[in-house]
Amino acid sequence: SIVLQTVSQGSLDASKDMQKELATIEKKKEELADYLCEDRKKLSLEDVFSTMKTFRELFLKALQ
């Protein structure tokens, strides 16, 4: 049916878009790892964000 074809094409397009976004994120993560002199394979975005959060908290505390 035409509806099913439209829905599955939409799903395929969304999947391709998601793959492109994930590839972009992975590339940016590798660039960030290089910038921070970290191992590309071991760098976790969760760790980076946690470190940034801690730095921000300590920086704001130091300003007070």
Side-chain angles (χ1 to χ4, degrees):
S1 97
I2 192 94
V3 172
L4 187 56
Q5 284 179 333
T6 303
V7 169
S8 37
Q9 186 60 48
S11 295
L12 282 173
D13 292 344
S15 178
K16 286 177 185 173
D17 289 345
M18 174 99 55
Q19 286 176 340
K20 284 181 190 173
E21 289 296 323
L22 290 173
T24 300
I25 290 169
E26 186 61 30
K27 186 174 184 294
K28 294 291 183 189
K29 188 184 96 153
E30 289 176 357
E31 290 172 3
L32 180 62
D34 290 345
Y35 180 77
L36 297 174
C37 302
E38 295 284 342
D39 185 338
R40 286 178 166 204
K41 292 182 179 77
K42 293 181 181 175
L43 181 70
S44 155
L45 286 180
E46 189 175 311
D47 290 342
V48 171
F49 291 133
S50 175
T51 300
M52 288 169 61
K53 180 177 181 275
T54 302
F55 174 81
R56 179 182 176 275
E57 289 168 353
L58 292 173
F59 181 77
L60 292 174
K61 189 174 183 180
L63 286 177
Q64 294 173 352

